[in-house]
Structures are given as C-alpha cells and as structure tokens.
Amino acid sequence: MEDEEILPEALPAPMVVEFTEEEFETPEIDDLSSAEPRQVMELPRAEPTPDGRARVVTVMNQKGGVGKTTTVINIATHLALHGVRVLVVDCDQQGNCATGLGIDKSRVVHTTRTLFTEPENAPACRHATAIPGLHLIVGERSLVGIEQELSTMLGRERCLIDGLEPLLQHYDLVLLDTAPSLGLVTINALVASDAVLVPVQTEFFALEGVAMLASTIREVRRRLNPKLGFDGVMMTMHAPTLLNSQVKSQLMETFGDLMIEPPIRRNIKLAEAPSEGVPIHIHAPESNGGHDYRLLAQNLAERWGFELE
Ligand SMILES: Nc1ncnc2c1ncn2[C@@H]1O[C@H](COP(=O)(O)OP(=O)(O)OP(=O)(O)O)[C@@H](O)[C@H]1O
Ligand SMILES: [Mg+2]
C-alpha cells in the first residue's frame, strides 16, 4: 500500500540500571554478605485480639501461586490438631481450600458467597473437615459475580464483617484465604481482619510485591479499618540456591522481627498433598514440608498467644 503509515520508533525506556556485560556475572558469596544493609521497612503492626473472640487473619499476596492456600491449609490443620478452634474462609473463587481439604465443592450449598449476601445464614455456611476442630467455608465460582454485585451496594467493603460477626465468639482463629488480586472481596477480607500474614516466595520480585502490598494495607488502615496491621511475613518454596538465599537475607534485613521462621522449603510432598485432599500432616508428616509447616505454625501460635495441647 502506498499510504501505509510508518510507525515511529519506540521510545527508549528509562532503565533502572544500564547493564554492561560484566554486570551479568554471578556475584561471589562474599560480595553478597558485604552488601550494605537495607533500610528496615516500617510496617504497621497488628494489635492484640480482644478477649472472647477469634483473631481474624487474612493470608494475602496479590502475586499468584506463592503458597497462600498451602499455608492456610497447613497452619489451620496444625493448630486445630493441637486444640485451637479454627475456621478457614476461602475468599477465592478458585476454591482450592475445599480441594486441599478433601471437600467436594460441587455439593456445597452455602458458600462464602452466602456469607457475603445473607449474613444471617452464616452458621449454615460452615462445613466440618476431616480434621477435628477445623471448619471451612467453601469458596467457589459463584464468588466471581459477587464483585459486581457488591460494587453497587452501600457499605460494600463491610459485608464480610456482618457475615463473620456471629461466628467470631465460637473460634480462636479465623483464617481468610484470598485470591491473587485486589478486588472487593479481598478488600472485604482486609476490612474484617485484625491482621495480615504475607507468604512470599524467595524470588527476585518478592520485595517489590510486599512494598506494594504494604501501601494497600496503609490505605485500608487510613480509610476503612484503622486496627489492621501485619502479623508477619513468611517465606515459601525456598530452595538452596544463591538467589533464594540472597532474597532471604534481603527480606530478613527489610522486615526484621516481622519475619516468621522457618522458610518453607520447596518440597514435592506439599504439592502432592492437595491431590489426595489432605494436609501435609496426613500426607507426609515427616517430609521437609511437614516439618517446616509444623515449626512455622508453632511460631505463629506463640505470636498469637495460643497454648497448644
Ligand atoms: N513449599 C512448596 N513446595 C513445593 N510446592 C509447593 C509449595 N508450596 C506450594 N506449592 C505448590 O505450588 C502451587 C501454588 O501454591 P498455592 O496454591 O498454595 O499458592 P497460592 O498463592 O494460593 O496460589 P493462588 O494465588 O493461585 O491462590 C500449588 O500447586 C502448591 O501445591
Ligand atoms: Mg490460593
């Protein structure tokens, strides 16, 4: 064609670092350990739970596949097996909590959706799992439409508070699993929570992700829920590579005592367990994954003031 428009050259992008060939060389371990310590990122801390009701904790990271659901299932299981009354609420339409706990979500009538739309029916949304003391409110596909329904409602960020309210006095801990996005359902979870727990993968983008999440939490504190704070940041899918240990030390320096040990090692048994519909405590309790989640849950129990039986 004669009049074909010529696309102008793309603009040069402003680069953070101008790479030269040398800069691609793998650094020596000694170089890493002599790096300047990072600034500590001051994150708001959560307040203690008022007496007589459950602590409500949202497990959150807008990045997908970092181990949120695996963490929820395995912490909840460990604590429930040691006498803590735990309710898991799956606020993700993927519904992975049900699968991981062996529940057939296609046969469940009242789900997290009901909790949002009919708070008076909240008690009927709970399902007992194979783990004594661990109950689940199932998330599934019907949560997709709720984002739009909520958007036209007055007080749309506070629906989950109403749903959870009648349940709180019957549990010690309510864990909210969230989707890898920041829609109204996740905002509802944050508004109904005392605290957030953030699983991060020890990979390069981890710090950037948490910084973004921290600004969301500050915004929610300012506008909707002044008591919301961090209960901790924990590491998932940790492997013994140079990059993983480098990111681990960066996280430790940045978040200080908010980091919860131990890092959860990458372990195939943790990935297999959901296909059996059981937590790691039943699938492979002696695996590295079983060991790490046990210790992590014990450390969290201490922070949350639960005495394990
Ligand atoms: N420590 C681990 N080692 C190996 N595999 C793991 C580990 N933790 C989680 N996985 C697997 O990685 C995948 C993602 O984990 P998970 O579903 O818990 O992440 P998620 O953050 O909940 O994902 P989404 O954002 O999609 O909800 C799953 O297949 C899970 O079984
Ligand atoms: Mg998930």
Side-chain angles (χ1 to χ4, degrees), residues 69 92 96 177:
T69 304
D92 183 1
N96 297 148
D177 187 19

Short mmCIF file of all heavy atoms in Angstrom, two decimals, residues 69 92 96 177, ligand 2:
data_model
loop_
_atom_site.label_atom_id
_atom_site.label_comp_id
_atom_site.label_asym_id
_atom_site.label_seq_id
_atom_site.Cartn_x
_atom_site.Cartn_y
_atom_site.Cartn_z
N THR A 69 -2.64 -20.61 49.77
CA THR A 69 -3.59 -21.66 50.15
C THR A 69 -2.90 -22.80 50.90
O THR A 69 -3.42 -23.30 51.90
CB THR A 69 -4.30 -22.18 48.88
OG1 THR A 69 -4.90 -21.06 48.22
CG2 THR A 69 -5.36 -23.20 49.21
N ASP A 92 -11.54 -17.03 47.72
CA ASP A 92 -11.02 -17.12 46.35
C ASP A 92 -11.93 -18.01 45.53
O ASP A 92 -12.25 -19.12 45.94
CB ASP A 92 -9.60 -17.71 46.41
CG ASP A 92 -8.94 -17.78 45.04
OD1 ASP A 92 -9.57 -17.35 44.04
OD2 ASP A 92 -7.80 -18.27 44.97
N ASN A 96 -9.60 -23.50 46.10
CA ASN A 96 -8.58 -24.51 46.38
C ASN A 96 -8.58 -25.04 47.81
O ASN A 96 -8.10 -26.15 48.07
CB ASN A 96 -7.18 -23.96 46.06
CG ASN A 96 -7.00 -23.62 44.58
OD1 ASN A 96 -6.29 -22.70 44.23
ND2 ASN A 96 -7.67 -24.37 43.72
N ASP A 177 -8.40 -17.05 53.31
CA ASP A 177 -7.53 -17.25 52.15
C ASP A 177 -8.02 -16.33 51.03
O ASP A 177 -9.23 -16.20 50.83
CB ASP A 177 -7.60 -18.71 51.68
CG ASP A 177 -6.58 -19.02 50.59
OD1 ASP A 177 -5.61 -18.24 50.45
OD2 ASP A 177 -6.75 -20.03 49.88
MG MG B 2 -4.70 -19.91 46.59
#
